[in-house]
Amino acid sequence: MRRVGIIAAGESKFGARVGMEYEELFVEAFLEAMGQVDNLESKDIQEAFVGSLAFGGSQLGNMSALVVDSVNLIGIPASRVENACGSSGYALRYAIMSIASGINDIVIAGGVEKMQDISKATRLYWFGVAGDIKWERLSGMTFPGNYALMATRHMKEFGTKKEALSSVAVKNHDFASRNPKAQFQRKITLEQAMNAPIVAYPLNIYDCCPITDGASCVILCDLEIAKKYTDTPIEIVGFGAGTDHLALYQRESITRIDAAVKASKMAFKMANLQPKDIEVAEVHDCFTIAEILAYEDIGFCKKGDGGKMILDGETTIHGRIPVNTGGGLKAKGHPIGATGTAQIYEIFKQLRGEHENQVHDATIGLTHNVGGTGSACTVTILRRV
Amino acid sequence: MAHVSIPKYWKALPQKYRLVAGKCSNCGELNFPPTTLCKKCGQENTQKHIELKGKGTVYTYTIIGRGGAPPEFAKMQKKCGPYAIAIVELEEGLKINVQLTDCDPFKDVNIGMKVSAVFRRIYEQENVIRYGLKFRPIIE
């Protein structure tokens, strides 16, 4: 297997990008990435993997052609990868595999989602498409509702407090307040986070990620030739993935996400590293409870101690493992299909020492990207070369 | 709307009306709904259909706040307000996802609460009222 490096990463501004189309958002991300490399032309890119749910259904078929056309890459093999909120994490996985296997030398992986400019009814419909429809959805269940079920049980089994959930939101808003690309560039107080209107008890509006337009991409290449394009490539030293039952009620446990546990183990084994070696991480905090589950599933803390970990401040900038320094899905925003590679964008910047919320001298980072309510997950470990 | 066509809903009526599960004659596992391959042992076409009793306890729950219901439940929520959804652990040992009814979601519902199935109108689509089971507290 060949070693794989990331030579560039780009991201559009996240938020309500009213009037912007998929392809325009992707161009923004692409141009930022291309601006970071020397001696690389569009024509050197051999294949594209694009993550998207095609939220709202506006370009449900053959989106990859639309996207590669927008950045003048038409002609190369391209495909849309769909695993709900885990789409671009999986797009990245296939991009890595195509280089590791020797089939390609330089590829692009990314994602794009357009969630604004859509009626409320259409939006509510699309929020439910990634869950089990026949049983969960048709009991009146919603997407936040599923994570709420996990939260209620976690609180019961481990004594996790609402304050812990809200503290995740406070931390991620704080990080986002210094990220010029974040959807919410403002801090919130614990009191605000605790007392907001209920969406799906015990989750309130501040426990939920926003509705976001955005795109992200990374350019990967065979590590052997990476220095030709940049002095500071970042190596992908481990990558894992997993799946679980689509419906929550069918799973063995709902206080952990097994797909994430499996993906983490696979990634750590490949990297020959342990959770304690990680210095900075971006985890999938679509809801605040999801970040707490991520700490436990990845192995940053013991099962059940996720609430304690946030309350002890271990994941703030001064903590043991700063988490979601870009603001997370919660405050930076969650353009579904773009999130996986948007997480890589943050870690890439951290490991090159270019981040707004820089973790001092970080050399090893991790991303954790979950699809649906945990039915698919990818974990990627990156290291400064 | 989450679209489940009339033929598809019709096919699921044994589960929606009577909680018909598939008990594997090879390993004893209960599959709900019944499957071609047993979820536990993987054997093909070994499941005998049995009716679950429709009694159990609340394993976990949530309350869907005002305005948060999916489109097919918006009308119901407008009329009745927030409603509770639970994963119920049935007496037979398996879990299902259901809507709770005949209770105040904020005051009455808790983990461990005993509930039983009741036949109710679930929602309407394609001009057909879809009936099925909700669960309500057992008053002892």
Side-chain angles (χ1 to χ4, degrees), chain B:
Chain B
M1 305 273 262
H3 187 246
V4 174
S5 67
I6 292 168
K8 216 170 160 181
Y9 201 85
W10 178 79
K11 189 171 175 254
L13 288 186
Q15 283 73 46
K16 299 275 185 197
Y17 287 6
R18 296 180 286 115
L19 295 174
V20 171
K23 190 176 173 66
C24 178
S25 57
N26 182 50
C27 72
E29 178 77 358
L30 275 176
N31 294 274
F32 182 83
T35 49
T36 307
L37 306 180
C38 174
K39 289 259 185 257
K40 193 173 175 191
C41 71
Q43 289 293 305
E44 185 185 337
N45 293 325
T46 52
Q47 295 169 33
K48 211 180 100 196
H49 289 191
I50 62 159
E51 262 182 56
L52 305 173
K53 283 185 282 185
K55 283 187 179 167
T57 53
V58 171
Y59 179 78
T60 186
Y61 71 97
T62 179
I63 302 164
I64 307 301
R66 214 171 263 283
E72 55 274 25
F73 292 90
K75 213 168 126 188
M76 179 201 82
Q77 188 174 55
K78 208 168 178 183
K79 201 172 137 199
C80 309
Y83 57 92
I85 306 269
I87 290 181
V88 168
E89 186 161 26
L90 296 171
E91 280 180 0
E92 291 85 354
L94 56 80
K95 297 191 192 86
I96 58 169
N97 186 92
V98 295
Q99 190 178 128
L100 301 182
T101 187
D102 299 3
C103 59
D104 180 331
F106 287 102
K107 284 186 190 150
D108 302 336
V109 182
N110 53 63
I111 290 178
M113 182 173 87
K114 289 186 174 161
V115 289
S116 64
V118 56
F119 194 71
R120 287 291 162 89
R121 177 189 199 276
I122 307 293
Y123 69 109
E124 193 179 327
Q125 196 168 64
E126 296 175 332
N127 299 318
V128 175
I129 297 173
R130 314 287 175 98
Y131 291 95
L133 300 174
K134 292 187 181 181
F135 275 63
R136 64 178 171 190
I138 297 175
I139 296 152
E140 286 169 338

Side-chain angles (χ1 to χ4, degrees), chain A residues 3-177:
Chain A
R3 291 167 71 184
V4 180
I6 299 178
I7 52 172
E11 182 181 85
S12 75
K13 161 91 180 67
F14 279 15
R17 304 294 308 273
V18 177
M20 291 284 280
E21 300 293 338
Y22 289 118
E23 55 272 35
E24 294 171 303
L25 292 166
F26 195 81
V27 168
E28 244 184 74
F30 181 77
L31 291 178
E32 185 187 0
M34 288 301 280
Q36 295 166 355
V37 281
D38 303 319
N39 315 314
L40 185 79
E41 291 176 47
S42 291
K43 65 172 175 52
D44 299 326
I45 297 171
Q46 295 164 300
E47 184 153 357
F49 301 86
V50 184
S52 185
L53 181 66
F55 192 91
S58 53
Q59 184 64 56
L60 201 48
N62 278 343
M63 185 197 281
S64 60
L66 177 75
V67 168
V68 294
D69 199 3
S70 74
V71 291
N72 295 347
L73 291 175
I74 206 76
I76 64 169
S79 41
R80 166 174 162 236
V81 179
E82 195 284 306
N83 259 340
C85 321
S87 295
S88 54
Y90 268 87
L92 179 78
R93 176 176 175 82
Y94 303 134
I96 298 166
M97 285 159 67
S98 84
I99 293 173
S101 65
I103 290 171
N104 290 318
D105 294 324
I106 303 173
V107 302
I108 183 167
V112 60
E113 210 70 66
K114 178 73 201 162
M115 301 175 71
Q116 300 271 351
D117 307 353
I118 293 171
S119 75
K120 189 186 171 192
T122 307
R123 220 184 257 161
L124 283 169
Y125 163 69
W126 275 85
F127 281 139
V129 301
D132 168 81
I133 288 176
K134 244 162 97 177
W135 300 97
E136 284 182 348
R137 174 62 177 261
L138 294 185
S139 67
M141 184 46 108
T142 63
F143 196 61
N146 268 313
Y147 274 94
L149 290 178
M150 301 187 215
T152 308
R153 188 71 199 176
H154 201 274
M155 288 166 135
K156 172 81 175 174
E157 280 183 30
F158 305 108
T160 306
K161 295 186 177 74
K162 178 69 184 77
E163 194 187 343
L165 302 183
S166 297
S167 297
V168 171
V170 173
K171 170 180 70 72
N172 294 352
H173 270 264
D174 178 60
F175 279 134
S177 71

